[in-house]
Structure formats: structure tokens, C-alpha cells
Amino acid sequence: MRRLLDCFYAPYAALVLVLLIPPVCLAVILGPTLALRRETGRLAVRLMLLCIGVPLRVRGLQHLPAGSNLVVCNHASYLDGIVLTAVLPRHYSFVVQDGAGRWPLVGQCLSRMGVVFVNRSDSRAGAAATRSLMRKLHAGEALTVFAEGTFEDEAGLLPFKLGAFLMAARCGAPVVPAAIRGSRRLYGGGRKLPRWQPLEIHIAPPLHPEAGDHRTVAVRLRERVREQVLRLCGEPDRDAAEALEQAA
């Protein structure tokens, strides 16, 4: 029955998304203020999920602190960013790889929503982006980061990059562990078409950086946050699995 459902659902959901995404992007791009553009994006994502029949359950919103903080989430699908857009308050800015900024129409939409693009292959550009992000944290803004930096077809949580945690340590900003469940099956695993799957987002209480050397604090904070994200996401630990393979 599940396979039969997927056969009918996949083309329907794909058609709905193809029809809705362009006008949504245009509505966001034409919005006169950042607040309005972000609110348009939030409502549009919820509308799209409703139209394709995907339930969205959120737990732990009360854990989001006021003021400067970083939400660190697992990454399993191209949908993760837009799903979090529908859930997090509109004052959160998203940090994504700069390649997304070159996507036709979608890239301009992301830019107009205040997404911060980071080029990890260019050390100078990456350093400039980091300084810009730290200024945002010092100014009391909130950021959302996918600390794995990418996602793969195979299920499992990848190692976390250190950058977000160094920023948190230097700025004294709390880090909020979060996890998305269901997005890999909905539109991941290398598939060309979506499959029906409910979505869940779990948000844990914030973790605060300790006092001490920034790099040492960042490494410890990364470990603590990753433990929480691993517990919440329900996927295997790819970092531990790869370490065992190398040892064998």
C-alpha cells in the first residue's frame, strides 16, 4: 500500500510544488520590507505543505531564547531550510552555502529573505562572512546553521563543522540543538520525486558556551550540541560508523 501511495502521490506533489514555487518566490522578492518577505515565506511554506498533505509537528518552541542565539540543526534534504522557515520566528537569519544563491529565482528569493551565503571554498570570503555573522550575533540577532555543511543520500548524522561553535564561543551566544525528522524520506535519498511523509521538528533547551579558550570551548560545545541533535533526529551516527570502519 505504501508503494502504491507513493506512485500516485509523487507526481501530484511534484506538480503542486512546480506550480506554487514560482509565484511564492515572486511574492517574496517583491515584498517591500524584510519582515514582510519573511512572513510571506513562512506562510507560503505552510500553505505548500498543506496542499501536498504533509503534517508538520513542532515540539520545543518554548526553548528558543530571546536575543542572540544560534539554532543548529541536522541536514537531510533540500527541504530542511524551507521547513525551518515555516517554524522559526521571522527574526532568524539562515546561513547556507553560496551555491544556493545561484539557483534561478529561488536564489534571489533566498537573498531577499536575508539568507547569509557562505563560500567555504574561499578562505578570504569565508572569513569575511564569519565576521559579518559575528557582528549580527553581537547585535542581538539570531542565526540558523546546518553544522554538517551538506547532506548525503545515506541516512545518518555527519560530523559537525566547528565554525558555528567558534562564533558562539567568541560571542557568548547560546546554541539551540534542533532536529528535523521525515525530510529525508519526503524529498531526499537521491530521489527525483517526493514521497509522502509527516514532518517533525524537535527543539531542545539552549546550551551555553563555557568560559575559557575559545577553540577549546567551541570543540566541547560542538560535542554537546551534536549529542543532542543525534538523540533528536533518530538517525545513526555517521561519524562513529566511519571511525569504526577506519579502525577495522
Side-chain angles (χ1 to χ4, degrees), residues 5 11 16 106 109 121 124 127 132 134 153 156 161 163 165 169 189 213 215-216 234-235 244:
L5 173 63
V16 170
V106 173
C109 174
S121 62
R124 181 175 297 179
S132 174
M134 289 179 63
D153 294 344
K161 299 184 182 301
F165 306 97
D213 172 72
R215 187 168 188 85
T216 302
E235 292 196 343
L244 288 174

Side-chain angles (χ1 to χ4, degrees), residues 127-229:
T130 298
R131 289 192 295 271
S132 174
L133 292 170
M134 289 179 63
R135 285 195 293 270
K136 289 179 179 291
L137 289 174
H138 280 303
E141 296 189 35
L143 303 175
T144 304
V145 179
F146 296 103
E148 294 163 279
T150 187
F151 64 89
E152 297 181 357
D153 294 344
E154 183 181 350
L157 189 68
L158 298 171
F160 279 5
K161 299 184 182 301
L162 192 60
F165 306 97
L166 277 171
M167 290 192 299
R170 290 169 178 165
C171 298
V175 178
V176 182
I180 299 177
R181 289 187 176 216
S183 65
R184 191 182 299 276
R185 173 172 171 80
L186 179 61
Y187 189 54
R191 288 181 59 86
K192 303 296 184 183
L193 295 174
R195 295 175 290 186
W196 185 83
Q197 175 68 35
L199 294 174
E200 295 182 4
I201 296 181
H202 299 261
I203 301 172
L207 298 175
H208 295 264
E210 304 163 351
D213 172 72
H214 288 155
R215 187 168 188 85
T216 302
V217 170
V219 170
R220 291 176 181 170
L221 184 60
R222 177 177 62 179
E223 293 172 354
R224 293 163 60 203
V225 172
R226 192 173 184 277
E227 286 177 0
Q228 292 296 311
V229 175

Side-chain angles (χ1 to χ4, degrees), residues 25 37 57 76 82 86 94 126 140 143 163 169 205 207 221 232:
C25 288
R37 293 191 291 270
R57 177 182 296 177
I82 64 172
F94 285 74
L143 303 175
L207 298 175
L221 184 60
L232 294 171

